[in-house]
Amino acid sequence: MGLRIIVLAKQVPDTRNVGKDAMKEDGTINRAALPAIFNPEDLNALEQALQLKDAHPGSTITLLTMGLPRSAEMVRESLYRGGDDGVVLTDRPLGGADTLATSYSLAQAIRHMGEFDIIVGGRQAIDGDTAQVGPQIAEKLGLPQVTYAESIQVADPAASGRNRQRQCRRLPSPQRPPHPEVQICRDAQREGRSARRPPGARRCPSLPCHQGVGREGD
Amino acid sequence: MEDKNNLIVYCEYDEGRIADVSLELLTKGRQLATRLGCRLEALVLGDKLDGIENELFPYGVDVVYKVQDNRLFPYTSLPHSSVVTTLFKEIEPQVCLMGATTIGRDLGPRVSSCLHSGLTADCTSLEIGDHTDAAKGKEYKDLLYQIRPAFGGNIVATIVNPECRPQMATVREGVMKKEIFDANYKGEVINLDPDNYIDPASLVVKIIDREIEQSKVNIKGAHIIVAGGYGVGSKENFDMLFELADVLGGEVGASRAAVDAGFTDHDRQIGQTGVTVRPKLYIACGISGQIQHIAGMNESSIIISINTDPDAPINAIADYVITGSVEDVIPRLIKHYKKNSK
């Protein structure tokens, strides 16, 4: 039986190449002035989702991101790597959102997106380093969470429980939450697979992107 | 329980002990509580808490809240956040501090989301001060200044939480100093009934196995650290750092850029998103000295910087600077120490 997997990902400024115009007067980041990349730790989450998909044929992977309209590049990259579709949450009022506003908006989007089995996210984004949005989304959806996971396995496809490893302060301890759940992957645990651009494909496939979902349910 | 608006530290408990990071936060919390004129409180959740308050009182703790229940150890997210949020709704703390550990970073955001109050992760400094909101024309007295490097270390941000309570912050282990306040200090113990605080619906996650492994690397305890940055250039060049560390009897650390580049393991990372160290000697090899890295090592007694760039920011805090490439300098150091250490 396939799983419906949501991967949380963020487009981040490449913090290694920061110029003078990177910060706005109000102390927020001028994202438009910086090169944007796929948050490296979210690639771990995508890779974990792809491994689950390999192990459970029929699974689907939906990438969910919030950001500027150009974040649609994230969905394209996910499609090249083996994802199935994506949702871009983009609207001017979402600009400058802190972690509570971000997790609220993403949780609302997830409610809008319907049934799912598991949400996987990277440990943290390299621009904010807060590691807060994943657990906050879990809280807002009323779901259990497992942070710093090292691997995720489905114990028995028929059962509703999952088997995973979580890295504690000193110890990994597999826990068994009911599904659905939110899963946060630790970095550097797995090699990401490379993007497989379909041969001859110059243009991106048309994307099922829904814009402005965040305003609903406010 | 009528006494509200105090400063509370969530204390991590593991097999009969309180984590060092929590004791460090109590030390800092004592200073802040004195400045605020409020009480310092500690919250401990676990299975065997008899006498645990005796470990806490010397840090100047006025009240220890204890919730003792087998279901609260080992740590799982939901029961702990259930207890913390229920208690916080009753006692309305003005400030809550947690360790920026795998537990604090799991629990903090959940509590913050539930109570609709902001949380600042990985603070490197905490102070009390006033804040004026020019747009609203409003003045706020005695707020918690939550200070941390942000945005890849390119800025230092001071974050305030003017309206919502509690003001929440996490701090990494080793950032604050742990110091006994008064060995004879005595406070009050309040035992809370677990059934009033653990929501039965929160008991859905079952730990099916627990495996404990000592961490392989102990850079926190090392007196000498040879740390490499992106400028080391390759995994092979990092082997030279291991050789030098071996000759000196030290450990090898790394900056985030070096870890991200795959030169060495994540558990060697020093800095704001890694560990904080205070060795007697810190040799920084090919490390430019981003503020996030410096936050994790600037209290080292002696700092030697080896860098091709004479203007690298790390040279500003280094006691000795060697201008040259890592490939050139390190083998000469190894040769010299080998020859002279017999």
Side-chain angles (χ1 to χ4, degrees), chain A residues 13-16 18 22-23 27 29-31 34 41 98-100 103 123-140 142-148 162-178 186-188, chain B residues 12-15 19 75-78 100-103 105-122 148 150-152 154-155 172-173 204-215 256-257 259-260 266-267 269 272-273 290 292:
Chain A
D14 192 345
T15 48
R16 284 160 296 194
V18 174
M23 302 302 297
I29 297 164
N30 183 9
R31 292 186 191 275
L34 290 160
E41 302 207 12
D98 60 12
T99 64
L100 284 174
S103 57
R123 181 185 59 157
Q124 62 195 43
I126 59 164
D127 56 347
D129 282 332
T130 69
Q132 292 179 13
V133 171
Q136 287 175 343
I137 289 173
E139 196 278 333
K140 294 203 186 307
L143 299 176
Q145 75 203 27
V146 177
T147 50
Y148 297 86
R162 308 216 187 298
N163 203 348
R164 88 259 309 85
Q165 300 219 308
R166 172 184 185 280
Q167 201 207 320
C168 273
R169 199 152 52 82
R170 288 178 309 167
L171 46 136
S173 60
Q175 302 182 342
R176 184 198 288 273
R186 189 172 184 249
D187 60 329
Chain B
E12 279 178 37
Y13 161 88
D14 188 9
E15 284 164 19
Y75 170 87
T76 47
S77 318
L78 267 58
T101 58
T102 53
I103 288 180
R105 295 178 117 222
D106 185 86
L107 178 67
R110 251 197 119 93
V111 173
S112 132
S113 174
C114 181
L115 299 176
H116 300 279
S117 190
L119 163 69
T120 305
D122 295 352
R148 60 163 298 185
F151 195 41
N154 292 285
I155 54 169
R172 279 182 177 266
E173 186 172 358
V204 289
V205 175
K206 210 171 92 195
I207 292 181
I208 50 181
D209 190 18
R210 219 165 111 84
E211 224 175 89
I212 300 180
E213 210 177 284
Q214 284 295 331
S215 105
R256 178 179 188 156
V259 172
D260 285 350
H266 182 271
D267 47 7
Q269 187 172 318
Q272 199 208 354
T273 48
Q290 292 248 337
Q292 277 187 325

